[in-house]
Amino acid sequence: MTSKEQEGALWGGRFKEGMDPAMVPLNLSLAEDQRLWRHDLQGSRAWARALARAEVLDDDELQGLLEGLDRVEARLARGIPEDAPDEDIHSLVERLLGEEAGEVAGKLHTGRSRNDQVATDMRLWGMEALDQVEDRLTGVLQALLAMAERSVELVIPGYTHLQQGQPVRAAHWTLSHFWPLVRDRDRIRQARRAAAVLPLGSGALAGCPFPVDREYLARELGFREVSDNSMDAVSDRDWMADGLYAGAMIGIHLSRLGEDLVLFASREFGLLRVPDGFSTGSSLMPQKRNPDVAELIRGKAGRFSGNLVALLTLLKGLPTGYNRDLQEDKRLLFDTVDQLELVLPAVAGTLKGCRWRPERARELLSEELLATDLADYLVRRGVPFRTSHEVVGRLVSLAEDEGMPLSRLPLERYREVHPAFEADVKEVFRWEASVESRAARGGTARSAVEAQLEKARRQAG
Ligand code: ARG
């Protein structure tokens, strides 16, 4: 053991030579895993207590360790030393504990391995982080709900293939972005649940030779159950994949919302105004008001998906048990959570400030949006839908040839194309009538949208 980097290492005994300088930076993970320090201390305190309960430590030793851990906590709370030579956060905590508690520090690692330790720390960190993400998502849901509540009256074009399709209430569009995020929140909760299985007590791979009470450890640390197989426990990162998948889906859903906002905020659509506080100008074009928030959010989607793919690729084909490759898992989860922390409050803020432009919605609504209603008119008079579809198609083409809107085409022309048309056909040409006709659950009628809002309120509360 010669190199400086190995002086504090936890495993020097069997080595004759020091670590090659080219290996040192590759081996280090402290810069990334230092944010686990509180969780590492939390796990260590519980472990010390479990060892005492198993009579591996006596009362004085336990006391010495707990007080030492408190002092380590006080030191780390002042900041992680920048010149710390330690390989990772576990080594750093153990070294500092040695400084603070003396020889007894050497007893804390009894029956424990960094393999079950790091798996435990990450789960502790992950459970907190996923709770936080859940709260942030609820914030976005509340903002979407509030926006929907003030969008019930307004009718806007609904699109398929980005072509005008049928009119919808603006609230209906807004809530169409609400439900995907409710599903994402379920996915986050599921990941949180999967994280809450305790690996501590699995040792390096084969379990713990001392009679520690793992149920006690689980209770102490807030896990809902204890892992069943030590070899699985030290390498199980499924919960993390669940979390990254949930993050990727949030990214995808928000990127679609972002895309709608970019389009709707353009002069060409002009349907809504993204608030000043979330827009930026151009360094060259003085008139510009860019919906950057929506683009930045859309741009994050690749990163979220990338983190998921990176983890899946990392896990694939690993031999049973812990492998050092797993050290790479941390930055993926950290990054997804950090980025969600940036993105979700910005989305919520944007939605709070978004204003519809009803006058522009009027201008955009093309009468052709009512072609389906016209076909339904005939259906109500007994005409088979396939025939009425064809008939209305002919009318649309006729109106186009004559350069006039459908509603202005004289009744005789309607009746030439199909005799079932009567004078009341003109009543089809009311936006309100169109959205109101879709009263089946999940549709655009006021009653259906109100029912949807009612359900959404319960989710966002
Ligand atoms: N820094 C390591 C990690 O993040 C801790 C576990 C190290 N275990 C080991 N056997 N080298 O995965």
Side-chain angles (χ1 to χ4, degrees):
M1 176 67 92
T2 51
S3 87
K4 175 176 171 297
E5 290 71 20
Q6 263 162 278
E7 273 160 28
L10 303 176
W11 38 261
R14 56 116 47 243
F15 289 86
K16 292 195 185 69
E17 284 178 22
M19 189 176 279
D20 193 286
M23 175 62 181
V24 172
L26 175 63
N27 187 50
L28 296 179
S29 63
L30 184 60
E32 266 162 17
D33 60 28
Q34 54 173 264
R35 59 198 288 179
L36 295 174
W37 71 272
R38 280 185 196 281
H39 306 90
D40 199 70
L41 287 168
Q42 196 186 350
S44 289
R45 286 194 179 98
W47 186 245
R49 291 203 179 91
L51 287 177
R53 287 164 60 105
E55 297 179 3
V56 175
L57 300 175
D58 64 29
D59 283 352
D60 287 348
E61 289 170 327
L62 174 62
Q63 234 13 68
L65 283 173
L66 292 178
E67 284 166 16
L69 288 167
D70 285 348
R71 287 196 290 276
V72 172
E73 173 162 26
R75 277 174 71 174
L76 291 178
R78 289 196 291 275
I80 308 283
E82 269 179 26
D83 55 351
D86 312 271
E87 183 181 315
D88 55 24
I89 187 63
H90 325 292
S91 320
L92 171 64
V93 168
E94 198 166 327
R95 177 170 64 79
L96 297 184
L97 184 62
E99 292 173 17
E100 296 298 334
E103 213 173 318
V104 69
K107 293 205 167 184
L108 178 61
H109 213 53
T110 310
R112 186 175 70 165
S113 155
R114 277 185 298 162
N115 299 351
D116 58 348
Q117 189 178 356
V118 72
T120 304
D121 291 2
M122 273 310 276
R123 284 172 186 260
L124 286 170
W125 187 90
M127 289 190 282
E128 270 177 32
L130 292 167
D131 284 344
Q132 172 93 346
V133 170
E134 181 183 334
D135 286 351
R136 297 274 192 241
L137 260 180
T138 299
V140 175
L141 291 176
Q142 284 165 349
L144 277 167
L145 175 65
M147 182 167 177
E149 306 259 21
R150 54 185 153 81
S151 314
V152 177
E153 300 304 323
L154 181 67
V155 177
I156 62 172
Y159 296 83
T160 65
H161 313 268
L162 206 52
Q163 309 289 318
Q164 290 201 3
Q166 294 173 327
V168 296
R169 291 186 186 280
H172 201 56
W173 170 86
T174 311
L175 290 173
S176 78
H177 289 285
F178 181 94
W179 301 111
L181 295 174
V182 169
R183 297 193 291 273
D184 290 338
R185 196 174 53 172
D186 288 344
R187 281 184 263 273
I188 291 285
R189 287 176 179 158
Q190 151 56 29
R192 164 71 164 82
R193 195 179 148 74
V197 179
L198 176 84
L200 196 59
S202 298
L205 79 157
C208 183
F210 304 100
V212 292
D213 180 352
R214 297 190 65 215
E215 307 290 344
Y216 162 81
L217 277 171
R219 281 196 306 279
E220 277 285 284
L221 292 170
F223 287 88
R224 77 187 159 78
E225 58 176 282
V226 166
S227 62
D228 289 307
N229 180 305
S230 58
M231 293 176 90
D232 175 36
V234 291
S235 63
D236 171 13
R237 300 294 186 269
D238 295 6
W239 68 274
M240 220 184 267
D242 293 345
L244 293 180
Y245 172 59
M249 289 308 293
I250 293 171
I252 284 167
H253 291 141
L254 293 181
S255 80
R256 297 188 66 191
L257 171 62
E259 172 66 5
D260 274 7
L261 293 180
V262 168
L263 286 172
F264 285 6
S266 69
R267 179 173 295 274
E268 284 67 19
F269 281 77
L271 270 174
L272 54 73
R273 214 177 145 85
V274 171
D276 272 3
F278 292 92
S279 306
T280 64
S282 154
S283 56
L284 188 140
M285 300 166 282
Q287 85 285 11
K288 286 303 284 285
R289 193 167 176 289
N290 298 325
D292 282 29
V293 66
E295 297 163 61
L296 288 164
I297 286 162
R298 195 176 54 188
K300 298 287 185 195
R303 188 161 172 178
F304 291 126
S305 309
N307 288 340
L308 170 63
V309 172
L311 182 72
L312 296 176
T313 312
L314 182 67
L315 297 178
K316 182 198 169 294
L318 283 183
T320 315
Y322 177 85
N323 296 272
R324 192 67 186 277
D325 317 42
L326 290 171
Q327 182 161 296
E328 285 290 315
D329 64 357
K330 283 168 215 68
R331 63 177 192 84
L332 305 173
L333 187 68
F334 291 160
D335 186 61
T336 283
V337 169
D338 289 347
Q339 294 302 312
L340 287 172
E341 278 294 299
L342 285 179
V343 161
L344 294 171
V347 176
T350 303
L351 293 167
K352 273 184 205 134
C354 271
R355 292 292 167 260
W356 292 108
R357 298 182 56 215
E359 67 301 343
R360 187 60 189 146
R362 287 271 154 215
E363 281 167 29
L364 279 184
L365 288 166
S366 139
E367 270 189 5
E368 289 182 10
L369 283 160
L370 300 170
T372 319
D373 299 85
L374 210 49
D376 293 339
Y377 170 95
L378 287 181
V379 167
R380 291 198 180 89
R381 276 153 191 78
V383 180
F385 181 74
R386 278 288 149 244
T387 310
S388 63
H389 185 284
E390 166 77 26
V391 165
V392 175
R394 297 231 301 277
L395 282 169
V396 169
S397 151
L398 208 78
E400 206 171 70
D401 290 348
E402 309 226 339
M404 63 167 69
L406 266 176
S407 61
R408 297 263 198 76
L409 223 49
L411 181 60
E412 307 84 75
R413 311 302 304 275
Y414 275 87
R415 296 180 59 89
E416 277 162 31
V417 183
H418 201 286
F421 283 115
E422 317 250 0
D424 64 355
V425 65
K426 300 288 164 159
E427 276 160 39
V428 166
F429 294 100
R430 287 189 304 120
W431 307 114
E432 190 68 17
S434 169
V435 292
E436 276 308 287
S437 71
R438 295 183 169 76
R441 189 173 158 187
T444 53
R446 181 182 304 272
S447 58
V449 170
E450 288 295 348
Q452 202 186 156
L453 279 169
E454 189 47 44
K455 196 168 172 190
R457 275 178 216 120
R458 288 198 296 276
Q459 293 287 344

